[in-house]
Amino acid sequence: MKSNALNFSGGPGALPATVLDETREAIVALPATGLSVLGMSHRSEWFLGILDEAERNIRELLDLPARYAISFLQGGSSLLFATIPMNFATRAFAPPEYVNSGYWSMRSSAEARRVCASRIAWDGTRTGFRELPMLDRLAVAPNAAYLHYVSNETVEGLQFALPEAKPAVPLIADMSSDFLSRPLAADRFAMIYAHAQKNLGPAGVTVALIDREMLARIPDGLPRILDLRTQIEHHSNYNTPPVFAIYVLMLVTRWLRDTIGGLAAMQRINEAKAQRLYGTLDAMRDAIKVHAASPWRSQMNAAFTFGDERLDRAFIAHAAERGIVGLEGHRSLGGLRASLYNAVTLDAVETLCDALTDFGRQHV
Amino acid sequence: MKSNALNFSGGPGALPATVLDETREAIVALPATGLSVLGMSHRSEWFLGILDEAERNIRELLDLPARYAISFLQGGSSLLFATIPMNFATRAFAPPEYVNSGYWSMRSSAEARRVCASRIAWDGTRTGFRELPMLDRLAVAPNAAYLHYVSNETVEGLQFALPEAKPAVPLIADMSSDFLSRPLAADRFAMIYAHAQKNLGPAGVTVALIDREMLARIPDGLPRILDLRTQIEHHSNYNTPPVFAIYVLMLVTRWLRDTIGGLAAMQRINEAKAQRLYGTLDAMRDAIKVHAASPWRSQMNAAFTFGDERLDRAFIAHAAERGIVGLEGHRSLGGLRASLYNAVTLDAVETLCDALTDFGRQHV
């Protein structure tokens, strides 16, 4: 018998059981309206309330200063990889700079190159994406349009520490896979964005936090839907938003606030999960290799391998017998990956660790 | 007690009750996988099967020639309003031409103007968007990049007849509000697109059918996510697609095929619904004014008014007592609107018509 609690997928990933229960009821009839959530108008009072609460909860969880606008977008990070340079890489500034720290940041900088001149501020290609730079020590042109990085590389299992200070150039972070997994000094950033399908909800919505000071830099004449001011001005309701995905995201933020107790509490849980898993992997270091070098190991995704494709596959089968799913590594790297997003419980991690230990005893 | 069956919203609109029931179960555990649909990987065998079946069902319902590619996109029609001219309004052709027949086509042509030179092939502004032109008789430059129109204007309640022949220039239609509501000679079109939240499913996914001949016209160098070839080449899985919205859309296409029996059957039901409603409105012509002139009345949306805002509001309250919701007119036009999308039953329309007749007897 499989269970959502044992879904270690890299995303779309596990969601909290109580959120799934509440969502299930809403499919046929929302208690508040008597109608299916799937048939609710995006102009209804009900949905305006959902948008408001989603925004308010994120603001409260992050203690986000009022100067940041929050908007809910479609198209995922992949669309923002294009729209961010379209909006902010203007002629008044030097080319934007990108940190190439793994699969996803490589995609972000490749897309930027199609839009504008850009510079690679740091490149981990040579070392196979096992390490990360210190953000605060990168040499970036003082008038660069912005510095872009991906805060957690889901494929390689690398995670940046938060920057220690607000950098001299606007800092833009794709936090798709670790947003709301830990507290965050958001005021060090010009823009933070995250698609939902890791820690926030189902695929189909992306949250963007933007310092309103940045909006003055956006050139006129962009297609309206690609101009980042548009959804801000229309409270994420310029065109029909993904109502259902935003509804579930709101429930997840409510769960973070009320059930978990906020981001400091969430961080403690995530630290315990990561320590348990990496402890198990390290104890098996003769048999298992973790991809990321130790200081940069991600709390969200552990990429590892038995160093033998047959053993990796055998472990996937072994784990599946215990109801554990989603352990296949990303197609670009192969091997195994366990994703420990917010909704994955410590109990689930214990089950995974026991499966690893047992497997090691039997097969390695 | 409200009921989804009596949701006449302009969209997101009603979905079939059996689809809602099946979706409800999938939220906690899909029978096929034991996992929540919201946590299913977009690379899983299960989801690849969903994408395949959604495409296959649409192809079968429309008897769509193999030369058309089908892709599932994010961003709604509003994003395609920008990406269509970015992809197809190239220098090898004369400017694209737009039919301005109502609120939504005005938005499409306004967005095109931000991207390229364009021409208005027909403009209904002077006559207040109560009539439509004959598509086959429009004077369009023979080397125009394309001719764009919106097949059903949801705000004004206007619907085009299908073109009688394949026009000389590529014909591109936004069919967001009448796609799969009737059979369609798709081979008269270069491209057809429709967001889901009218007849196909929840908000968050848009279907595009594109004649592969058109793909050779797309210029290189566009951001990959805005290049219409990208999702076609990646079978709608270039980046994480809106898994849940596509799943529900697939269930709706299955319902159309198996429960309704195809698009000819769907058309007969939609004709019966529209005849019943317009018959009632016409019988009350002393009290009620239908916005659209008779030959162009939409089978999907009837925009009408008692000619007095207080009476319109009183009718909304009268209808709400009978569980009828979603009758508010679009904010740009005011008045009332009843949307008769596929999932609205003839029984529901009967209930609405009875409410209209009763209200007329009591108040007018």
Side-chain angles (χ1 to χ4, degrees):
Chain A
M1 180 56 195
K2 291 171 188 175
S3 154
N4 291 302
L6 298 172
N7 186 357
F8 288 89
S9 168
L15 288 177
T18 53
V19 168
L20 291 180
D21 287 341
E22 194 164 348
T23 301
R24 179 175 187 271
E25 296 317 304
I27 294 294
V28 170
L30 280 163
T33 72
L35 294 175
S36 166
V37 62
L38 304 183
M40 286 305 300
S41 167
H42 58 298
R43 306 285 177 198
S44 63
E45 288 297 319
W46 174 83
F47 184 63
L48 300 183
I50 297 297
L51 275 175
D52 276 352
E53 183 178 342
E55 179 175 335
R56 203 165 55 241
N57 291 353
I58 292 170
R59 219 173 262 289
E60 187 183 322
L61 285 164
L62 289 172
D63 196 14
L64 189 69
R67 74 169 194 275
Y68 287 85
I70 298 183
S71 58
F72 300 100
L73 306 171
Q74 289 190 68
S77 295
S78 294
L79 181 54
L80 282 163
F81 290 167
T83 48
I84 286 169
M86 289 170 84
N87 279 261
F88 297 128
T90 54
R91 286 181 196 160
F93 299 94
E97 309 219 3
Y98 281 74
V99 178
N100 273 351
S101 54
Y103 179 86
W104 285 105
S105 53
M106 291 286 279
R107 275 182 65 159
S108 71
S109 61
E111 198 67 13
R113 273 197 299 279
R114 298 175 79 87
V115 174
C116 64
S118 62
R119 198 182 152 255
I120 302 301
W122 187 88
D123 192 347
T125 315
R126 285 164 301 117
T127 47
F129 298 130
R130 297 176 189 277
E131 300 172 6
L132 295 175
M134 294 289 289
L135 281 176
D136 300 276
R137 298 194 196 157
L138 291 175
V140 174
N143 61 337
Y146 56 83
L147 172 65
H148 181 279
Y149 79 110
V150 173
S151 62
N152 182 75
E153 292 280 7
T154 50
V155 172
E156 295 85 1
L158 296 159
Q159 189 174 24
F160 278 89
L162 291 166
E164 281 165 27
K166 185 170 180 166
V169 306
L171 185 62
I172 299 184
D174 176 354
M175 293 198 184
S176 290
S177 52
D178 63 359
F179 188 59
L180 301 190
S181 73
R182 57 183 178 180
L184 178 63
D187 59 358
R188 293 177 193 162
F189 294 84
M191 176 173 177
I192 291 168
Y193 62 102
H195 59 235
Q197 64 264 23
K198 271 47 173 175
N199 285 307
L200 310 180
V205 64
T206 300
V207 182
L209 319 183
I210 309 182
D211 186 338
R212 289 177 196 276
E213 274 186 19
M214 292 294 288
L215 302 180
R217 299 185 174 201
I218 299 174
D220 289 327
L222 289 173
R224 293 201 69 192
I225 193 81
L226 300 178
D227 185 320
L228 291 169
R229 293 172 297 195
T230 300
Q231 293 291 8
I232 293 171
E233 284 164 10
H234 290 82
H235 299 284
S236 303
N237 221 333
Y238 167 69
N239 60 332
T240 313
V243 172
F244 175 77
I246 293 172
Y247 167 71
V248 180
L249 181 150
M250 186 284 290
L251 293 180
V252 171
T253 59
R254 201 188 267 176
W255 168 83
L256 272 170
R257 186 193 59 194
D258 299 343
T259 306
I260 298 298
L263 297 188
M266 190 73 252
Q267 182 175 32
R268 284 191 297 274
I269 296 169
N270 285 332
E271 278 170 358
K273 284 150 53 183
Q275 277 171 20
R276 182 75 176 84
L277 177 59
Y278 286 115
T280 301
L281 295 173
D282 283 342
M284 298 172 74
R285 66 169 60 83
D286 293 340
I288 288 177
K289 181 168 167 42
V290 176
H291 181 81
S294 187
W296 299 281
R297 285 176 174 179
S298 165
Q299 275 188 10
M300 294 284 106
N301 317 89
F304 59 98
T305 177
F306 285 94
D308 174 336
E309 205 182 311
R310 282 167 309 176
L311 275 179
D312 286 344
R313 263 194 261 121
F315 178 67
I316 287 171
H318 174 88
E321 282 167 24
R322 297 161 182 236
I324 297 169
V325 296
L327 291 176
E328 297 79 7
H330 189 268
R331 65 211 137 82
S332 67
L333 191 67
L336 300 164
R337 175 173 57 174
S339 296
L340 310 180
Y341 299 130
N342 284 351
V344 173
T345 61
L346 184 55
D347 276 354
V349 177
E350 300 279 357
T351 306
L352 172 62
C353 290
D354 291 347
L356 278 164
T357 309
D358 283 359
F359 184 81
R361 247 190 312 251
Q362 292 171 37
H363 296 276
V364 191
Chain B
M1 181 56 197
K2 291 171 186 174
S3 153
N4 292 302
L6 298 171
N7 185 357
F8 289 89
S9 169
L15 288 178
T18 53
V19 168
L20 292 181
D21 287 341
E22 195 165 347
T23 302
R24 179 175 187 274
E25 296 318 304
I27 294 294
V28 170
L30 280 164
T33 71
L35 293 176
S36 167
V37 62
L38 304 183
M40 286 305 301
S41 167
H42 59 298
R43 306 284 177 197
S44 63
E45 288 297 319
W46 174 82
F47 184 63
L48 300 182
I50 297 297
L51 275 174
D52 276 351
E53 184 178 343
E55 179 175 334
R56 203 166 56 240
N57 291 353
I58 291 171
R59 219 172 261 289
E60 186 183 323
L61 285 164
L62 289 171
D63 197 14
L64 189 69
R67 74 169 194 275
Y68 286 85
I70 298 182
S71 58
F72 300 101
L73 306 170
Q74 290 190 68
S77 295
S78 294
L79 181 54
L80 281 164
F81 291 167
T83 48
I84 287 169
M86 289 169 85
N87 279 262
F88 298 127
T90 54
R91 287 182 195 159
F93 299 93
E97 310 219 2
Y98 280 75
V99 178
N100 272 352
S101 53
Y103 179 86
W104 284 105
S105 53
M106 292 286 279
R107 274 183 66 161
S108 69
S109 60
E111 198 68 14
R113 272 197 300 279
R114 298 175 79 88
V115 174
C116 64
S118 63
R119 197 181 153 256
I120 301 302
W122 188 87
D123 191 347
T125 317
R126 285 163 301 119
T127 48
F129 298 130
R130 296 174 190 280
E131 299 172 6
L132 295 176
M134 294 289 289
L135 281 176
D136 301 276
R137 297 195 195 155
L138 291 175
V140 174
N143 60 338
Y146 56 83
L147 172 65
H148 181 279
Y149 80 111
V150 173
S151 63
N152 183 75
E153 292 280 6
T154 50
V155 172
E156 296 84 1
L158 296 159
Q159 188 174 24
F160 279 90
L162 291 166
E164 282 164 25
K166 184 170 179 163
V169 305
L171 186 61
I172 299 184
D174 176 355
M175 292 198 184
S176 290
S177 53
D178 63 359
F179 188 60
L180 301 190
S181 74
R182 58 183 177 180
L184 178 62
D187 59 359
R188 292 178 195 161
F189 294 84
M191 176 173 176
I192 291 169
Y193 62 102
H195 60 235
Q197 64 264 24
K198 275 39 176 179
N199 285 308
L200 310 181
V205 63
T206 301
V207 181
L209 319 182
I210 309 183
D211 187 338
R212 289 178 194 274
E213 275 185 19
M214 293 294 287
L215 302 181
R217 298 185 174 201
I218 299 174
D220 289 328
L222 289 173
R224 292 201 69 191
I225 193 81
L226 300 178
D227 184 321
L228 290 170
R229 293 172 296 194
T230 300
Q231 293 291 9
I232 293 173
E233 285 163 11
H234 289 82
H235 298 285
S236 303
N237 222 333
Y238 168 69
N239 61 332
T240 313
V243 171
F244 176 77
I246 293 173
Y247 166 71
V248 180
L249 180 150
M250 186 283 289
L251 293 180
V252 171
T253 60
R254 200 188 267 177
W255 169 83
L256 272 170
R257 186 193 59 191
D258 300 342
T259 307
I260 297 298
L263 297 188
M266 191 73 252
Q267 182 176 32
R268 284 191 295 276
I269 296 169
N270 284 331
E271 278 170 359
K273 283 149 56 181
Q275 276 171 22
R276 181 74 177 84
L277 177 60
Y278 285 116
T280 301
L281 295 173
D282 282 343
M284 297 171 74
R285 66 169 60 83
D286 293 341
I288 287 177
K289 182 167 166 42
V290 176
H291 180 81
S294 188
W296 298 283
R297 285 175 173 180
S298 164
Q299 277 189 9
M300 293 286 106
N301 318 88
F304 59 97
T305 175
F306 285 95
D308 175 335
E309 205 182 311
R310 281 166 310 177
L311 275 178
D312 287 343
R313 262 192 262 122
F315 178 67
I316 287 171
H318 173 88
E321 283 167 22
R322 297 162 181 233
I324 298 169
V325 296
L327 291 175
E328 296 78 7
H330 188 267
R331 65 210 137 86
S332 66
L333 192 68
L336 300 165
R337 175 172 57 173
S339 296
L340 310 180
Y341 299 130
N342 284 350
V344 173
T345 62
L346 183 56
D347 275 356
V349 177
E350 298 280 357
T351 306
L352 172 62
C353 290
D354 291 347
L356 278 163
T357 309
D358 283 359
F359 183 81
R361 248 190 312 251
Q362 292 170 37
H363 297 276
V364 193

